[in-house]
């Protein structure tokens, strides 16, 4: 029997938009992907399986060819810097920005600033390009707390509506980059499962154009 195509989706905020996009390709699961404790889901197409993972893990599973195809944020790809996959399509959904944010009422900044983020590589590159000295403090969540509590002068984080910044007395200071959801494809899968994988790429490309 032919091996199924495995599609890895990013859990959390992007998930519903990704599920809706797949529905437009007529790929549906009878499970509630956001609630179920399952991690691998069958679909109405017996040749297609879905996995739901954190963005970084989507990249890892596709790089290693366990998932053939992945859908994840460009923010993750900028940070991941991995190899082994192509990034053929901007899905043009889950659009947000990576920004530098700080307190609305901010003290003058020292020459060497402290920046808290989970996007360590993106932040390093951003400040290196500007020629600004920045000590980066890695956090995994609740970045907004860092300037509030005096851990860092600034944060680099994802902003969609800006509500979280506003609710914490923070504001956007600089745009780092706009980001959106991307399709990635394992290089080997594109060869060994060419028809199926290319079919998905083509149908998604038509939807996003
Ligand atoms: C992101 C980000 C902010 C929030 C911004 O976190 O870290 O906290 O969303 O969104 P807003 O501008 O619409 O308020 P997310 O909820 O994705 O969870 P995470 O911390 O797991 O990344």
């Amino acid at each position: 029997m032919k091996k199924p195509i495995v599609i890895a989706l990013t859990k959390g905020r992007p998930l519903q938009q990704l599920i809706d996009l797949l529905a437009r390709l007529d790929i549906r699961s009878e499970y509630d992907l956001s609630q179920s404790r399952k991690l691998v889901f069958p679909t109405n197409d017996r040749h297609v399986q879905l996995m739901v993972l954190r963005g970084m893990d989507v990249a890892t599973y596709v790089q290693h060819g366990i998932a053939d195809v992945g859908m994840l944020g460009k923010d993750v790809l900028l940070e991941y810097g991995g190899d082994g996959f192509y990034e053929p399509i901007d899905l043009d959904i889950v659009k947000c920005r990576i920004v530098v944010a700080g307190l609305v009422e901010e003290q003058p900044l020292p020459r060497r600033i402290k920046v808290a983020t989970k996007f360590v590589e993106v932040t390093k590159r951003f400040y290196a390009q500007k020629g600004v000295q920045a000590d980066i403090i890695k956090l995994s969540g609740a970045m907004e707390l860092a300037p509030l509590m005096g851990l860092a002068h600034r944060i680099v984080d994802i902003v969609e509506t800006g509500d979280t910044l506003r609710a914490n007395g923070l504001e956007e200071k600089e745009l780092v980059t706009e980001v959106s959801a991307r399709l990635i494809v394992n290089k080997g899968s594109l060869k060994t499962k060419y028809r199926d994988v290319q079919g998905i790429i083509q149908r998604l490309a038509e939807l996003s154009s």
Side-chain angles (χ1 to χ4, degrees), residues 13 22 28 34 39 51 82-83 93-94 107 138 142-143 172 175 187:
R13 185 190 300 246
L22 286 177
R28 296 180 171 82
S34 60
L39 297 168
M51 293 197 314
D83 206 358
I93 54 173
V94 204
Q107 301 290 321
K138 182 163 170 51
M143 243 66 70
E172 192 172 325
L175 174 69
K187 287 182 177 173

Side-chain angles (χ1 to χ4, degrees), residues 45-123:
D45 181 337
R46 64 194 176 89
H47 295 305
V48 179
Q49 287 179 348
L50 305 178
M51 293 197 314
V52 178
L53 301 164
R54 285 184 186 278
M56 280 288 174
D57 297 341
V58 169
T60 303
Y61 271 80
V62 174
Q63 174 171 357
H64 292 273
I66 310 300
D68 303 294
V69 172
M71 294 180 176
L72 74 178
K74 181 68 180 177
D75 51 313
V76 176
L77 290 172
L78 289 171
E79 190 65 22
Y80 186 76
D83 206 358
F85 49 75
Y86 300 113
E87 184 195 324
I89 302 180
D90 182 346
L91 296 171
D92 210 30
I93 54 173
V94 204
K95 292 187 191 181
C96 35
R97 316 185 287 290
I98 301 179
V99 306
V100 178
L103 290 170
V104 175
E105 294 182 23
E106 190 175 62
Q107 301 290 321
L109 297 178
R111 251 169 35 122
R112 194 177 181 99
I113 60 170
K114 290 185 196 162
V115 183
T117 189
K118 67 176 176 192
F119 299 106
V120 172
E121 296 307 319
V122 170
T123 303

Side-chain angles (χ1 to χ4, degrees), residues 17 19 22 59 74 90 103 116 156 161 167 170 177:
Q17 288 188 55
I19 292 170
L22 286 177
K74 181 68 180 177
D90 182 346
L103 290 170
V156 168
T161 60
L170 301 176
T177 183

Side-chain angles (χ1 to χ4, degrees), residues 13 118 140-144 157-165:
R13 185 190 300 246
K118 67 176 176 192
S140 352
M143 243 66 70
E144 295 80 9
D157 197 12
I158 287 275
V159 168
E160 189 181 3
T161 60
D163 289 348
T164 312
L165 290 183

